[in-house]
Amino acid sequence: MLGWTPLTQAVARVWHALPPGDTANAIILATNYGRAGAIDLLGRSRGLPPTIAPVGSYWFFGPGERTGSTTVVIGANPERLHKLFSEVMEVARTNNPWGVPEEQSVPIYVCRGPIKSIAAVWPSLAGQN
């Protein structure tokens, strides 16, 4: 849970900077259950929707009803994102010098123009980060 508050604050800043028309179908996708848990636990008070994540038991909840035409992605490989979206922009990064190595520098992306819908790719994302 170390670093969850700064991560949630950074995601909230990104989310609230999106144009209002984008947030109607936007999703927040986290690449591990800790990041997803941080947003789900602390994000509601900051106006964030529930997170989706293709890892652990989060995967079984599915991608939800939103299209993901705009997707805020927490901590992914940009090469993988370019295979899923036509536009990928790193817009923020959190730094946590006390976290485990994978949590010390976490990029946050805004992705647009999904090549396939999130519902169509969801089965292939199981267990990926």
Side-chain angles (χ1 to χ4, degrees), residues 78 81-90 109-112:
L81 292 176
H82 282 289
K83 294 177 183 177
L84 300 171
F85 298 94
S86 61
E87 181 183 329
V88 175
M89 295 181 303
E90 183 178 328
Y109 302 91
V110 171
C111 303
R112 292 187 172 89

Side-chain angles (χ1 to χ4, degrees), residues 7-125:
L7 175 69
T8 303
Q9 290 169 334
V11 171
R13 282 191 300 275
V14 169
W15 181 264
H16 294 300
L18 295 173
D22 285 3
T23 57
N25 282 305
I27 57 176
I28 298 174
L29 187 144
T31 55
N32 70 31
Y33 65 88
R35 295 169 187 155
I39 302 306
D40 286 345
L41 183 65
L42 304 174
R44 290 202 191 275
S45 66
R46 291 173 172 82
L48 299 178
T51 304
I52 66 169
V55 295
S57 59
Y58 265 95
W59 183 82
F60 292 103
F61 292 109
E65 299 298 318
R66 294 178 177 212
T67 65
S69 54
T70 298
T71 302
V72 175
V73 181
I74 307 167
N77 177 315
E79 290 86 28
R80 179 181 279 158
L81 292 176
H82 282 289
K83 294 177 183 177
L84 300 171
F85 298 94
S86 61
E87 181 183 329
V88 175
M89 295 181 303
E90 183 178 328
V91 295
R93 184 172 286 268
T94 63
N95 294 299
N96 177 5
W98 301 283
V100 296
E102 67 193 47
E103 299 300 330
Q104 289 181 0
S105 181
V106 178
I108 302 169
Y109 302 91
V110 171
C111 303
R112 292 187 172 89
I115 295 169
K116 291 183 181 178
S117 73
I118 188 69
V121 299
W122 193 254
S124 69
L125 296 179

